[in-house]
């Protein structure tokens, strides 16, 4: 117990942030698992506002036959309804997979402050892989980001999904 | 009447397409006008499938407090519901303003065949102004596009809206 206390006192802000990031990404991963059960590509997202999860969802493209029903879009929409504001400054969006151009664009539109994602998407990622949309200073808003939180778990749930469908 | 007939017979395919494009853009412009009345940034869109308008809408960001409620997103979503398919090959989307990264990304996600837009958006356009998303061969789908149909009318409704709000 003494060791724990010392451990906690010894933690820098970075360590605490990383712990929170992992905790929220774990919730996004749980939602990706729900998507899997419904035969949707397993990507999950949560939006955190004032330290708690305000909205969470997963990809529902097949269920709704809606090309725009990526997890990020659904979560941004729900958060806007709940806060009665399409602008979401101060919010952090956690998502298991690097956002595509549509979803990265939506984060900018919603003025989200920060994005945390799990694994990269080399084929369509618009944050680091193919584009750097969130850092483009020609646009009217930029979004900070952190990548690689629970990277392996986030990648594995996708790999396993596509392996089973082959 | 004889002159009309001769005129029609004398038209090349390009002329006929341009006439159709103007007709559908006129409908998108009418929807932009509706947005204006509701104090939304006046952008309208219609999705044309098999030669007719399947879905049309305008920006509803303020009404719904939803950052993703751009005209293009709403029309793609509705078309997916109506056709019970998130993939919309063969569809043409008409929109009064050059799409932003979110909306250009959504057109790619929905596998739309063609985009027609009115005026450019030098601050956020992702088709010709800041990015060339629709032509990016690294992505799994490309979208043909035509620009400048009713360009002046599409630009003027926006200019007039922002003039009145200043």
């Amino acid at each position: 117990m003494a060791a724990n206390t010392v451990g906690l006192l010894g933690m820098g802000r970075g360590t605490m942030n990383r712990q929170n990031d992992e905790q929220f990404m774990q919730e996004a991963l749980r939602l990706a698992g729900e998507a899997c059960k419904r035969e949707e590509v397993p990507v999950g997202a949560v939006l955190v506002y004032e330290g708690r999860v305000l909205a969470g969802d997963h990809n529902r493209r097949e269920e709704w036959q809606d090309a725009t029903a990526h997890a990020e879009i659904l979560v941004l929409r729900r958060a806007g309804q709940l806060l009665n504001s399409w602008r979401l400054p101060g919010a952090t969006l956690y998502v298991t997979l690097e956002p595509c151009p549509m979803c990265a664009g939506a984060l900018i539109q919603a003025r989200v402050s920060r994005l945390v994602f799990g694994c990269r998407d080399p084929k369509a990622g618009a944050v680091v892989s193919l584009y750097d949309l969130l850092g483009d200073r020609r646009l009217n808003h930029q979004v900070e980001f952190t990548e690689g939180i629970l990277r392996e778990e986030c990648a594995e749930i996708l790999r396993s999904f596509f392996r089973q469908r082959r």
Side-chain angles (χ1 to χ4, degrees), chain A:
Chain A
M1 270 171 289
N4 275 347
T5 310
V6 171
L8 278 165
L9 290 171
M11 276 180 192
R13 194 161 169 268
T15 314
M16 288 300 287
N17 279 351
R18 181 149 190 119
Q19 277 196 343
N20 287 339
D21 283 350
E22 287 187 3
Q23 174 200 326
F24 293 129
M25 190 62 83
Q26 204 71 59
E27 176 60 12
L29 254 175
R30 190 188 65 76
L31 290 162
E34 291 295 313
C36 222
K37 288 182 206 157
R38 296 159 176 251
E39 307 205 5
E40 301 274 2
V41 173
V43 178
V46 297
L47 187 131
V48 172
Y49 188 72
E50 296 182 343
R52 63 183 193 86
V53 172
L54 185 69
D57 213 333
H58 57 72
N59 179 29
R60 293 183 188 270
R61 176 175 265 190
E62 301 297 334
E63 179 184 352
W64 292 354
Q65 291 298 318
D66 174 1
T68 74
H70 279 186
E72 300 96 311
I73 300 283
L74 303 184
V75 161
L76 292 173
R77 190 182 305 153
R78 182 79 184 123
Q81 287 167 352
L82 290 170
L83 296 174
N84 197 31
S85 168
W86 59 261
R87 292 177 193 84
L88 304 168
T92 298
L93 189 133
Y94 291 78
V95 59
T96 55
L97 179 68
E98 181 185 1
C100 72
M102 172 178 76
C103 293
L107 289 165
I108 298 167
Q109 290 293 342
R111 318 283 201 265
V112 164
S113 292
R114 183 173 171 241
L115 165 74
V116 181
F117 69 89
C119 60
R120 292 192 177 192
D121 182 353
K123 289 185 180 167
V127 179
V128 288
S129 296
L130 301 186
Y131 291 97
D132 161 31
L133 273 181
L134 302 189
D136 187 340
R137 300 219 157 255
R138 298 171 303 175
L139 297 170
N140 66 347
H141 179 74
Q142 286 81 47
V143 181
E144 278 181 56
F145 71 89
T146 302
E147 65 162 314
I149 304 294
L150 305 185
R151 179 191 283 126
E152 254 317 298
E153 294 90 326
C154 292
E156 179 50 31
I157 195 171
L158 282 162
R159 274 195 301 262
S160 150
F161 177 80
F162 287 113
R163 220 169 18 229
Q164 280 166 22
R165 290 170 68 98
R166 229 178 265 138

